[in-house]
Amino acid sequence: MNLNDTLFRLKALGVKVTPQRQEILEVLLGEERYYSAEEILKKVQARYPAVSFDTVYRTLNLFKKLGLVVELNFQGGYRRYEFNHADRHHHHLVCLKCGRSQKLACCPTDCLAGIEEENPEFAITGHSFEIYGYCKDCRGQVK
Amino acid sequence: MNLNDTLFRLKALGVKVTPQRQEILEVLLGEERYYSAEEILKKVQARYPAVSFDTVYRTLNLFKKLGLVVELNFQGGYRRYEFNHADRHHHHLVCLKCGRSQKLACCPTDCLAGIEEENPEFAITGHSFEIYGYCKDCRGQVK
DNA sequence: TCCTAGATCAGATTTATTCCGATTTAGGTA
DNA sequence: TACCTAAATCGGAATAAATCTGATCTAGGA
Ligand SMILES: [Mn+2]
Ligand SMILES: [Mn+2]
Ligand SMILES: [Zn+2]
Ligand SMILES: [Zn+2]
């Protein structure tokens, strides 16, 4: 999924393609990692200084609804966003000290299948699976 | 783990046992589910009307540090707390509409074992695994 | 080129959590 | 049992994240 595909998809959905939305997408697509709302704002403001937090949040929530973006609520209350490379579903190993994370290959599909089967009346829309701890750099300096 | 065991453990750790702390524990131990900070405050105030949010949050953070309480950060940013029945590790099926949840029996231990093995330099302290969607009552009325 | 629904901006508002200074108290000591 | 003090609590102020509001602007269709 690149920028042009995504913009095409937005148009197909009848969603207006504004410079702000386009720039937010470019940020999210630029480096494959997650961002805080503030990081996104700062990066977008490098090109469009007048962009407001409101626009960032509205856009992220829109993209979330359209399935373009995933919102991650990490332990400690950190909220992060990343582009939803639909074909690259994954989870995270998150350092509680420095906040850096790495992608994980494993997804608990067997658990999920069992849960789905045992709860047919529940409409599952997603799941989270994150592993927390302290990375090599941080494990020594934990308070 | 009952109230007396827990109070004993607090004393052993050199932590003061105040009526407020005791009441918060009673709330958490009363019904095996999770609570918002505000729910806890309201319940504690039923007996001690002067208790403040500050005390609730400080106590929850203390208990969290001591491993007595688990903080859950659900999708959407909802933060909840539950007593850490250490022998009853579990995960949740959470309704995004009404917020109710049910415990799940499955825990992705095989994933976890693999991740631990593949990342020996990372000190894992915990993990989250939550399944989101819409419960029977809510699946019809999703906006 | 014009029109308008929808998007943006700037700042106010709301809500969750933490901080702060004054006061109280749990639990140790004599 | 009567102090003593470090730690805990209270009440309200401060902070921070996210949303709302109303005025203005604009993307994209006619
Ligand atoms: Mn990721
Ligand atoms: Mn639970
Ligand atoms: Zn780290
Ligand atoms: Zn529900």
Side-chain angles (χ1 to χ4, degrees):
Chain A
M1 205 69 155
N2 61 24
L3 183 62
N4 284 335
D5 292 345
T6 309
L7 295 179
F8 185 82
R9 204 180 141 194
L10 284 180
K11 278 173 187 160
L13 289 162
V15 173
K16 281 188 187 173
V17 174
T18 66
Q20 295 88 339
R21 287 177 176 175
Q22 197 162 327
E23 186 65 19
I24 289 171
L25 278 176
E26 288 194 40
V27 169
L28 293 171
L29 285 164
E31 200 184 332
E32 194 168 340
R33 64 177 187 87
Y34 53 72
Y35 298 86
S36 67
E38 187 174 9
E39 281 177 309
I40 294 169
L41 179 71
K42 291 285 158 60
K43 281 176 179 282
V44 170
Q45 284 182 335
R47 194 186 275 184
Y48 300 105
V51 168
S52 65
F53 258 121
D54 186 58
T55 295
V56 170
Y57 279 115
R58 257 185 306 98
T59 304
L60 289 171
N61 286 332
L62 172 69
F63 288 173
K64 199 171 52 167
K65 224 178 275 177
L66 299 178
L68 289 174
V69 158
V70 180
E71 179 187 283
L72 300 161
N73 286 281
F74 290 144
Q75 200 173 304
Y78 302 107
R79 187 176 288 186
R80 296 292 125 92
Y81 301 87
E82 66 181 18
F83 191 84
N84 184 21
H85 291 283
D87 49 336
R88 296 185 229 165
H89 175 80
H90 63 275
H91 299 286
H92 302 96
L93 187 61
V94 184
C95 178
L96 293 168
K97 183 93 190 307
C98 68
R100 285 178 295 184
S101 85
Q102 61 191 86
K103 275 201 212 179
L104 296 173
C106 195
C107 176
T109 43
D110 47 346
C111 267
L112 287 167
I115 291 160
E116 205 166 349
E117 193 168 359
E118 285 163 29
N119 300 278
E121 77 294 344
F122 195 97
I124 294 175
T125 59
H127 64 276
S128 74
F129 177 49
E130 319 298 337
I131 290 85
Y132 296 97
Y134 297 95
C135 73
K136 194 171 62 172
D137 295 347
C138 296
R139 63 188 301 176
Q141 7 161 343
V142 181
K143 176 210 87 74
Chain B
M1 204 71 154
N2 62 24
L3 183 62
N4 284 335
D5 292 343
T6 309
L7 295 179
F8 185 80
R9 205 179 139 195
L10 284 180
K11 278 173 186 159
L13 289 163
V15 172
K16 281 187 186 174
V17 174
T18 65
Q20 294 90 338
R21 288 177 174 174
Q22 196 162 328
E23 186 65 19
I24 289 171
L25 279 175
E26 287 194 40
V27 169
L28 293 170
L29 285 163
E31 200 183 332
E32 193 168 339
R33 63 178 188 85
Y34 54 71
Y35 298 86
S36 67
E38 186 173 10
E39 281 176 308
I40 294 169
L41 179 70
K42 291 286 159 57
K43 282 177 180 284
V44 169
Q45 284 182 335
R47 193 186 276 184
Y48 300 105
V51 168
S52 66
F53 259 120
D54 186 58
T55 295
V56 170
Y57 279 114
R58 258 186 304 98
T59 303
L60 288 171
N61 287 332
L62 171 70
F63 288 173
K64 199 171 52 165
K65 223 177 278 178
L66 299 178
L68 288 174
V69 158
V70 179
E71 179 187 285
L72 300 162
N73 286 282
F74 290 144
Q75 199 172 306
Y78 302 107
R79 185 175 289 184
R80 297 292 124 93
Y81 300 87
E82 65 181 18
F83 191 83
N84 184 22
H85 291 282
D87 49 336
R88 295 185 230 164
H89 176 80
H90 62 276
H91 300 284
H92 302 96
L93 187 61
V94 184
C95 178
L96 294 167
K97 183 94 192 304
C98 69
R100 285 178 295 185
S101 85
Q102 61 191 87
K103 274 201 214 181
L104 296 172
C106 195
C107 175
T109 44
D110 46 348
C111 267
L112 287 166
I115 291 159
E116 205 166 348
E117 194 168 358
E118 285 163 29
N119 300 277
E121 77 294 343
F122 196 97
I124 295 175
T125 59
H127 64 275
S128 73
F129 177 49
E130 319 298 336
I131 290 86
Y132 297 97
Y134 297 95
C135 72
K136 195 170 61 172
D137 295 347
C138 295
R139 63 188 300 177
Q141 4 160 347
V142 181
K143 178 209 88 68

